[in-house]
Amino acid sequence: MLRLVMLRLAFGAMTVLAASVLIFAGTELLPGDLATAILQNSATPENVAEMRAQLGLDRPAPVRYAEWISHAAQGDLGISLSNQHPVAEELAPRLRNSFFLAAFAACVSVPLAVLLGLLAAIYQNSWYDRAVNFITLLTISVPEYLVGYLLVKYLSVRWGLFPSLANVAPENTLLERLDLTFLPMLTLVLVVVAHMMRMTRASVLNIMASPYIEMAFLKGLTKSRVVVRHAFPNALAPIISVIALNLAYLIVGVVVVEAVFVYPGLGQLLVDAVAKHDLPVVQACGLIFACVFILLNLLADIMAILSNPRLRRAR
Amino acid sequence: MSQIEYLQKLHRAGRIGRRELLGRAAALGASATALSVIIATEDAHAAETPRRGGTMRLGIGGGSTTDSLDPATWNDSVGTTGGFAFFEPLIETGAGNAAQPGLAASWEAKPGATEWVFNLQKGVTFHNGKTFTADDAVYSINLHRGKTKSGAAGVFSAIMDVKKTGDNQITISLKAADGEFPAVLTDYHCRMVPEGTTDFTKPVGTGAFTVAGYQPGVRVHGTRNPNYWRKDRGFLDAFDLTVINDSTARLNALMSGQVDTINRVDAKVANLIKAKKGYELVVSPGGWHTVVSLMQDKGAMFENHDLRLAMKYGIDREQVVKTLMGGYGSVGFDHPIPRGDANFNTALKPIAHDPDKAKFHLKKSGFAGTVTIQSSDAAFNGAVDMATLFQGNLAKAGLKVDVKKEPADGFWSNVWLKGACVVSYWAGRTTATQMLDVGYGPGAPWNESHYQNPKFTALLNAARAELDAGKRKSILFEAQALMSDDVAALIPAFRNSLDAHNGKVGGLVPASLSDMDNSAITVRGWMKA
């Protein structure tokens, strides 16, 4: 078990390294560079050259890459090319914001999705099952910015229940934070719940076809007891991996929601940095996103193993 | 907004006196009855005097996480609206783009207009307690000259030398005579900082506010500078600027009461705000205009004057204003001087959409090929639509046009200034001469269309060296008439900038250079009780 985890971690580290090379190569391929991106139509050949020299962009790409990756390994993510702030300082508050929103959305959506999924399995083909399937499919099919705008229109502008602007500041208390991020959280919940709920329902129903479930019914157990106690534990592995995927999405894939609610998360930072070719920031974001994906998948694997007694016990 | 409404707004904000308001309204043809109505409405607004105190919350679009507080790097509305609260210029732009005293109290040109003397305000202190002197002014100007990453480098290349000629006096010598040089110093990059400043992460200026919080692309937060030297502005206790780049989110924030004022209102919803009680739309007819360059190199197709004329008559300018700007704009005359400019040629006739005339000139030109318009939404939102619109317009005149959609990434470095026919934009400049100079002057690095006409060059040089405003005006009139017929560019339309605010904000007046009262709303505006 421990060996398995170590092996996975080692593979993960290699994946991160490979991802960093890809991101670097990708930004190098983009036309234009930071100097022209910043100066736009006030660029002259002279001030572009001067800005390049100041930013160290006049050195060859492999040299810049090697320097960056060796520093990053020591925890130094470098200095943002465009505004001279240390990248780590720039990232930290946004990373906290992203994690906060993801955690808030996960705390609501995961229990909700599993509960809805189990109920749908228990009352299979009932009106409830159909309704919950239809509604969640609807919310996942509508683009997330539209969901966001609809929520803002009614819950914020029309009825004034929640703020439309999630402009959290360091001085906010936890309660203020929860209030400010309520609408983005709700948007994300509506987007991710369908996937997890349907997976819960499908994998539970899949197990329900097994002979041992029939045995349980023959023993005279109620359907809800069979589903929750007998089928659900065996259906956990696929549910866990879908949850992990959705958690990763909540952290790295929510740039549209961030834009709609003006939430200072990592996504917006990455988009801006790519537009301005701010390589240290792009790479730091890429690295963090890669780590999040790999760690969550690793966690999902371990949880799946723990949920399965056959894998849990070393032979 | 009519010109009279505009004057009324200026009057309410205390920018022009009642005599000037009525005088200018009468000059615009207001009848005696209309004037009495104006007097009555102004009396009703008499209570709108600035009030001290309060916090203004702004939702501003045009910011990025790559922003910084170094004035040399400012390139959009958040940079300037936030930055102007902390830093001040030597000279600022007032109503009608007139040069007004800032940290320079007065100035004069030596005969010949190649040397200018600026007398600085005395007794002004920086946020760190240091007194503002000529050394600081010289250092601050030099930050934008020579080896620099500043966006002001282009216009400041006209400066030959900056010298301290007294504790509170500097003298600037120019490479060529310029009768309107003070306007160059109003460039939004050129702000006064203490001598030796290199680190802008802890900004020190002389402005009405000190930095209380700064997160690039997220928030700019300032609190009142208790030692601020000016009494006629700096009314707020604090301001809190949130960067909101999404236009719907910006509007939502205003409507749900989370911010008091926003910039860049979407033209599609502008009429709804105008009609909504408790909100006000501020329309600023400004210098921002769309451009299609027609590169006029030797041997290139646009060297052919008749082909250029075919395009000038072939495009439908009214349609650009109507469909792309929601009516909040005005047609261009193929010269870059906006209507609000004192030197705008009022005698010039608009270039009417005339497919027959276009057909005639196309035939005369003998051109049988295809014109490829390169366009990207990196230039401005709707640039590709405009190119497509022209494609349809020109097809009616028999001119084949291809629209090539360029990637936003790298547009400014790979397409602009390089392509033969490129859609781009210009933001307004303080003076007409400056605008002609940066965009169309011979040898100007940003002369997109490589426009060259000895007659135009002569007019431009004469206007630049002219100290007499009246004579300069007549030269500029001639230059505009010449451009309208000849220039190697289409300037189809000028766009108004649209700001909005709720009933609590006072002093947000239309301004022609940039949104939010030329980005000075935090300094010049106030909150009503």
Side-chain angles (χ1 to χ4, degrees):
Chain A
M1 177 78 198
L2 190 67
R3 206 175 135 258
L4 190 73
V5 173
M6 296 307 287
L7 202 67
R8 293 270 167 151
L9 268 178
F11 276 128
M14 275 160 66
T15 319
V16 171
L17 202 65
S20 77
V21 174
L22 282 179
I23 294 163
F24 187 90
T27 46
E28 283 297 305
L29 287 176
L30 291 173
D33 72 355
L34 175 76
T36 54
I38 287 180
L39 288 167
Q40 291 202 354
N41 61 358
S42 19
T44 63
E46 292 79 26
N47 62 4
V48 167
E50 176 58 21
M51 190 174 262
R52 275 192 194 134
Q54 270 191 27
L55 300 171
L57 292 174
D58 45 357
R59 295 173 303 154
V63 175
R64 282 180 281 133
Y65 174 74
E67 190 181 270
W68 175 76
I69 202 72
S70 60
H71 284 158
Q74 298 159 37
D76 172 16
L77 293 170
I79 304 284
S80 160
L81 291 182
S82 47
N83 61 9
Q84 275 74 48
H85 286 282
V87 173
E89 228 173 75
E90 201 108 302
L91 279 177
R94 290 186 173 253
L95 191 62
R96 270 199 299 278
N97 286 345
S98 279
F99 278 133
F100 179 82
L101 181 59
F104 190 15
C107 285
V108 177
S109 62
V110 173
L112 184 71
V114 171
L115 186 72
L116 290 177
L118 284 178
L119 287 174
I122 294 170
Y123 302 110
Q124 191 194 352
N125 296 333
S126 68
W127 64 267
Y128 162 80
D129 184 23
R130 282 163 216 272
V132 80
N133 264 309
F134 176 75
I135 292 168
T136 51
L137 265 183
L138 189 72
T139 60
I140 202 176
S141 311
V142 177
E144 54 209 272
Y145 67 85
L146 189 62
V147 175
Y149 284 151
L150 286 173
L151 291 177
V152 166
K153 170 156 189 192
Y154 290 100
L155 298 184
S156 178
V157 175
R158 186 139 321 166
W159 299 327
L161 298 175
F162 299 100
S164 74
L165 209 58
N167 54 345
V168 291
E171 68 262 22
N172 290 137
T173 61
L174 179 65
L175 214 60
E176 284 170 342
R177 242 165 213 272
L178 292 176
D179 182 43
L180 283 169
T181 54
F182 188 84
L183 288 185
M185 179 281 288
L186 196 57
T187 311
L188 290 175
V189 167
L190 288 175
V191 171
V192 297
V193 111
H195 196 189
M196 295 188 283
M197 171 260 155
R198 290 174 69 80
M199 184 48 100
T200 308
R201 178 182 178 274
S203 36
V204 168
L205 287 180
N206 195 24
I207 299 287
M208 293 294 277
S210 320
Y212 84 95
I213 296 292
E214 207 177 350
M215 182 66 205
F217 277 120
L218 290 175
K219 280 196 294 187
L221 298 180
T222 59
K223 184 155 186 195
S224 51
R225 192 171 165 84
V226 172
V227 167
V228 177
R229 298 281 303 162
H230 295 253
F232 183 54
N234 278 313
L236 264 178
I239 298 173
I240 288 172
S241 55
V242 164
I243 289 177
L245 266 183
N246 278 292
L247 290 185
Y249 162 81
L250 285 177
I251 294 171
V252 308
V254 298
V255 63
V256 176
V257 176
E258 285 179 13
V260 168
F261 295 99
V262 198
Y263 188 69
L266 268 188
Q268 196 57 50
L269 182 69
L270 179 62
V271 170
D272 282 353
V274 169
K276 293 275 164 71
H277 295 239
D278 195 342
L279 202 60
V281 178
V282 173
Q283 287 210 298
C285 288
L287 207 62
I288 288 169
F289 287 175
C291 289
V292 165
F293 253 103
I294 288 158
L295 278 176
L296 281 172
N297 276 311
L298 187 67
L299 206 65
D301 278 355
I302 296 168
M303 300 271 283
I305 292 167
L306 287 179
S307 76
N308 188 335
R310 276 169 301 187
L311 295 176
R312 197 160 53 204
R313 208 173 299 267
R315 258 177 281 182
Chain B
M1 182 181 327
S2 77
Q3 198 67 22
I4 290 177
E5 275 176 67
Y6 167 74
L7 292 171
Q8 281 177 301
K9 277 220 158 104
L10 289 181
H11 175 253
R12 274 170 220 167
R15 227 52 81 61
I16 57 174
R18 171 161 300 207
R19 184 184 295 258
E20 189 179 351
L21 166 69
L22 295 178
R24 283 170 73 175
L28 285 165
S31 63
T33 346
L35 287 180
S36 66
V37 172
I38 293 174
I39 292 172
T41 38
E42 290 315 293
D43 282 343
H45 279 93
E48 282 188 27
T49 46
R51 190 187 77 97
R52 180 169 295 294
T55 299
M56 188 183 285
R57 297 162 307 159
L58 308 97
I60 305 293
S64 157
T65 47
T66 53
D67 288 346
S68 84
L69 281 172
D70 178 353
T73 66
W74 296 345
N75 60 2
D76 214 333
S77 292
V78 170
T80 51
T81 310
F84 284 13
F86 309 127
F87 300 101
E88 292 185 301
L90 282 180
I91 297 171
E92 54 178 55
T93 33
N97 286 352
Q100 276 186 345
L103 286 170
S106 65
W107 53 87
E108 62 176 342
K110 296 248 177 91
T114 51
E115 261 197 343
W116 286 80
V117 179
F118 295 87
N119 298 305
L120 309 180
Q121 298 280 358
K122 290 178 189 142
V124 177
T125 53
F126 284 104
H127 298 150
N128 62 5
K130 185 186 171 308
T131 307
F132 169 68
T133 65
D135 292 315
D136 303 312
V138 172
Y139 178 81
S140 302
I141 293 173
N142 284 337
L143 282 178
H144 309 278
R145 296 179 57 222
K147 282 180 81 136
T148 177
K149 59 181 176 183
S150 171
V155 283
F156 276 27
S157 63
I159 299 175
M160 188 145 72
D161 196 18
V162 183
K163 270 202 295 282
K164 170 181 172 178
T165 42
D167 278 348
N168 290 293
Q169 190 189 64
I170 61 170
T171 302
I172 299 179
S173 49
L174 307 175
K175 290 177 185 157
D178 184 353
E180 293 175 295
F181 176 70
V184 171
L185 285 186
T186 62
D187 184 288
Y188 64 83
H189 300 96
C190 182
R191 305 281 123 176
M192 295 300 117
V193 299
E195 188 185 6
T197 304
T198 49
D199 178 13
F200 285 93
T201 54
K202 289 173 191 67
V204 175
T206 59
F209 297 89
T210 54
V211 183
Y214 182 71
Q215 280 174 277
V218 180
R219 182 189 193 208
V220 187
H221 180 37
T223 47
R224 209 180 118 73
N225 167 14
N227 303 318
Y228 188 49
W229 60 283
R230 287 185 83 142
K231 297 289 164 250
D232 59 340
R233 56 182 65 182
F235 303 114
L236 301 170
D237 286 338
F239 75 91
D240 201 342
L241 183 159
T242 305
V243 181
I244 312 181
N245 288 323
D246 184 77
S247 77
T248 314
R250 214 156 48 236
L251 192 64
N252 283 333
L254 179 71
M255 289 297 154
S256 63
Q258 280 185 283
V259 297
D260 300 307
T261 179
I262 59 173
N263 67 345
R264 298 191 191 173
V265 175
D266 195 332
K268 291 189 219 69
V269 299
N271 284 329
L272 298 176
I273 294 196
K274 213 171 166 185
K276 202 164 166 76
K277 217 172 140 52
Y279 294 90
E280 194 132 3
L281 181 73
V282 181
V283 183
S284 307
W288 191 100
H289 58 269
T290 57
V291 182
V292 183
S293 66
L294 310 172
M295 210 181 257
Q296 188 209 13
D297 285 331
K298 267 224 143 357
M301 56 182 167
F302 294 121
E303 201 191 354
N304 188 329
H305 186 205
D306 278 300
L307 178 60
R308 301 207 298 268
L309 284 176
M311 292 185 77
K312 282 172 196 279
Y313 290 118
I315 60 169
D316 190 348
R317 293 150 204 265
E318 293 282 353
Q319 209 180 347
V320 174
V321 174
K322 225 176 282 164
T323 56
L324 292 180
M325 298 174 177
Y328 287 95
S330 57
V331 295
F333 297 73
D334 285 354
H335 67 68
I337 314 302
R339 277 177 173 68
D341 196 293
N343 292 312
F344 173 75
N345 186 338
T346 42
L348 213 54
K349 286 216 172 57
I351 307 170
H353 175 47
D354 190 341
D356 291 331
K357 227 169 173 179
K359 221 177 263 173
F360 166 78
H361 283 288
L362 182 64
K363 200 167 165 208
K364 203 172 149 203
S365 74
F367 181 78
T370 306
V371 171
T372 304
I373 304 182
Q374 291 171 281
S375 191
S376 164
D377 279 343
F380 59 91
N381 214 343
V384 178
D385 297 339
M386 193 174 89
T388 315
L389 187 76
F390 290 166
Q391 186 181 29
N393 288 161
L394 292 167
K396 280 187 214 147
L399 180 61
K400 280 197 284 295
V401 173
D402 268 349
V403 175
K404 189 168 172 213
K405 195 177 167 191
E406 298 287 347
D409 220 355
F411 172 78
W412 294 111
S413 52
N414 298 342
V415 181
W416 186 67
L417 294 183
K418 298 202 169 63
C421 183
V422 179
V423 178
S424 70
Y425 77 93
W426 274 103
R429 287 295 195 271
T430 330
T431 66
T433 322
Q434 207 183 340
M435 186 64 242
L436 296 178
D437 206 18
V438 289
Y440 304 91
W446 305 320
N447 184 346
E448 301 158 81
S449 50
H450 298 179
Y451 180 56
Q452 270 198 353
N453 181 333
K455 208 171 147 202
F456 175 77
T457 310
L459 287 171
L460 183 57
N461 285 337
R464 221 187 276 141
E466 186 56 63
L467 274 170
D468 180 81
K471 283 184 195 153
R472 193 191 303 127
K473 190 170 177 171
S474 65
I475 299 170
L476 288 170
F477 266 46
E478 206 180 322
Q480 288 167 63
L482 175 66
M483 283 185 91
S484 188
D485 172 70
D486 179 67
V487 77
L490 306 173
I491 300 180
F494 284 72
R495 188 179 66 187
N496 297 338
S497 81
L498 303 171
D499 302 328
H501 61 82
N502 61 21
K504 292 179 218 157
V505 173
L508 180 52
V509 297
S512 62
L513 288 179
S514 60
D515 42 32
M516 301 317 258
D517 190 9
N518 285 344
S519 300
I521 180 62
T522 59
V523 185
R524 298 202 277 232
W526 63 88
M527 296 301 286
K528 297 174 191 168

